[in-house]
């Protein structure tokens, strides 16, 4: 997988230091930082793994060029704002929930436009290894696939929390991730996604109520659907549950307010629709990996 351009200047790869990158990143565009990889992932190993993170809020663009001998899998550790396109087709526009996997077949090229900070676990799976194990056979398409899966999210969380403790554990989980992500039958969910015009209508409604208490019933009424129908269709269309998306939007608003306003954290929490600063801080850390105070220090530009 190649990442081109200045867009990755702020990226960090967390893995064990060795002579070669897990992925052949452009040496001029990426700093060499300590990395993590399972022992068998080195050299010609069948699965290579890395963590790609950036805490910076500014926008950047990355081109993912998957070699013809492997699959590329990128999984969001936390929700991120990104637009993904390939072969002139928009695959994702807007929010990418945690546990969402982007799977590119051998030879596929995709453009990722990041709108804010991001945290991704990246895998490179040898095509021969996938074929030998009977996975990935239905994914030979130039258009990358994207989906959200709770099992994938659990595996990624295990890697992030405990992967550096045991090489065998990391190797086992990375193999399980590859099997899950390269088998569409395991992750495809039946149903009809919420159409774009209803999503736009919902977006207008939620934007006007971002700072208020909003129930699932009110959200469903805003797009003229029953609660059950709306909840499932919305999840199929976005990967988020309605409440999770509301929290995501509130946290994104809070991030902007922390950088552009003079409000203190308590005032921002209340303006973002949270009843208490403690709850705000808990949700903020779940979505960003840092407390509001830590995040503000890391992202605030010097005067």
């Amino acid at each position: 997988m190649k990442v081109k351009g200045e867009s990755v200047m702020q990226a960090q790869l967390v893995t064990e230091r060795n002579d070669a990158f897990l992925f052949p990143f452009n040496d001029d565009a990426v700093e060499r930082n300590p990395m993590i990889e399972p022992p068998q992932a080195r050299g010609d190993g069948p699965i290579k793994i890395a963590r790609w993170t950036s805490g910076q809020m500014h926008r950047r663009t990355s081109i993912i060029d998957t070699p013809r001998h492997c699959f590329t899998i990128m999984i969001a550790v936390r929700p991120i704002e990104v637009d993904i396109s390939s072969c002139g087709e928009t695959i994702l526009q807007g929010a990418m929930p945690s546990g969402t996997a982007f799977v590119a077949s051998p030879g596929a090229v995709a453009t990722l436009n990041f709108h804010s900070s991001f945290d991704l676990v990246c895998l490179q799976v040898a095509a021969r290894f996938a074929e030998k194990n009977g996975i990935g056979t239905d994914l030979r398409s130039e258009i990358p696939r994207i989906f959200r899966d709770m099992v994938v999210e659990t595996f990624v969380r295990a890697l992030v929390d405990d992967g550096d403790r045991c090489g065998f554990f990391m190797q086992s989980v990375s193999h399980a991730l590859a099997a899950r992500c390269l088998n569409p039958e395991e992750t495809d969910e039946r149903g009809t996604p919420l159409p774009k015009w209803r999503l736009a209508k919902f977006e207008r409604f939620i934007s006007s109520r971002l700072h208020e208490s909003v129930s699932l019933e009110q959200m469903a009424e805003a797009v003229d659907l029953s609660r059950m129908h709306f909840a499932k269709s919305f999840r199929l269309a976005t990967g988020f549950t309605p409440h999770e998306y509301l929290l995501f939007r509130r946290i994104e608003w809070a991030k902007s307010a922390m950088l552009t306003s003079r409000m203190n954290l308590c005032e921002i929490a209340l303006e973002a629709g949270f009843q208490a600063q403690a709850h705000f801080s808990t949700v903020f850390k779940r979505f960003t990996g840092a407390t509001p105070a830590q995040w503000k220090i890391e992202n605030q530009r010097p005067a």
Side-chain angles (χ1 to χ4, degrees):
M1 182 182 72
K2 297 179 182 178
V3 180
K4 305 175 182 177
E6 297 180 354
S7 55
V8 293
M9 289 292 287
Q10 302 295 332
Q12 297 177 351
L13 289 175
V14 184
T15 185
E16 184 177 75
R17 179 174 292 280
N18 52 67
D19 294 333
F21 283 105
L22 294 180
F23 303 140
F25 284 91
N26 183 329
D27 289 354
D28 295 329
V30 178
E31 296 179 359
R32 298 189 176 218
N33 295 310
M35 301 196 317
I36 303 174
E37 85 176 75
Q40 274 74 16
R42 298 183 184 184
D44 297 325
I47 300 179
K48 300 179 182 181
I49 186 168
R51 189 173 177 187
W52 184 23
T53 69
S54 174
Q56 303 301 312
M57 284 292 289
H58 60 77
R59 298 187 178 189
R60 76 223 68 179
T61 298
S62 297
I63 299 175
I64 307 303
D65 188 0
T66 302
R68 295 193 175 277
H69 66 271
C70 67
F71 291 87
T72 292
I73 302 171
M74 303 178 74
I75 306 166
V77 177
R78 297 184 179 87
I80 60 177
E81 283 277 0
V82 62
D83 298 333
I84 303 176
S85 61
S86 179
C87 297
E89 179 177 327
T90 299
I91 303 171
L92 175 70
Q93 188 170 24
M96 183 177 182
S98 56
T100 300
F102 162 84
V103 182
S105 299
V109 179
T111 300
L112 281 68
N113 292 305
F114 294 102
H115 297 282
S116 61
S117 57
F118 59 84
D119 190 349
L120 298 161
V121 165
C122 308
L123 291 89
Q124 193 178 62
V125 183
R128 288 185 179 180
F129 172 81
E131 183 178 356
K132 180 180 178 180
N133 288 276
I135 56 177
T137 56
D138 297 327
L139 295 174
R140 299 285 181 165
S141 169
E142 293 182 354
I143 305 297
R145 174 172 174 261
I146 190 164
F147 63 92
R148 188 185 188 187
D149 182 61
M150 295 299 104
V151 175
V152 169
E153 185 170 5
T154 300
F155 284 159
V156 167
R157 178 51 55 191
L159 278 179
V160 170
D161 292 343
D162 301 308
D164 59 344
R165 299 182 184 179
C166 175
F168 178 73
F169 172 80
M170 178 173 281
Q171 181 189 15
S172 300
V173 176
S174 63
H175 278 65
L177 269 173
R180 185 76 178 180
C181 291
L182 296 181
N183 188 354
E185 292 182 359
E186 293 287 338
T187 53
D188 284 348
E189 187 175 359
R190 295 181 179 179
T192 303
L194 202 66
K196 290 183 178 180
W197 70 269
R198 274 202 162 103
L199 279 174
K201 189 174 182 180
F202 172 76
E203 189 66 41
R204 290 193 297 270
F205 168 79
I206 212 70
S207 295
S208 66
R209 301 290 189 88
L210 205 57
H211 314 299
E212 305 173 14
S213 177
V214 184
S215 67
L216 177 60
E217 186 174 7
Q218 289 174 314
M219 295 181 196
E221 287 178 355
V223 293
D224 304 313
L225 293 174
S226 67
R227 288 184 302 171
M228 294 295 290
H229 186 183
F230 166 69
K232 183 175 182 179
S233 296
F234 185 83
R235 180 165 47 81
L236 287 172
T238 67
F240 287 93
T241 66
H243 180 66
E244 186 181 29
Y245 182 74
L246 174 62
L247 290 178
F248 174 73
R249 285 290 312 279
R250 285 175 171 170
I251 295 302
E252 289 300 301
W253 180 90
K255 284 196 235 179
S256 177
M258 279 191 279
L259 298 179
T260 60
S261 77
R262 295 186 177 182
M263 290 187 289
N264 59 41
L265 292 180
C266 182
E267 292 171 329
I268 289 174
L270 295 176
E271 283 294 317
F274 293 91
Q275 298 301 311
Q277 184 177 348
H279 182 214
F280 167 66
S281 297
T282 299
V283 174
F284 192 96
K285 187 170 184 178
R286 174 157 62 89
F287 275 76
T288 67
T291 66
Q294 290 170 337
W295 185 92
K296 184 175 182 179
I297 292 172
E298 291 173 0
N299 287 273
Q300 205 165 35
R301 296 177 180 177

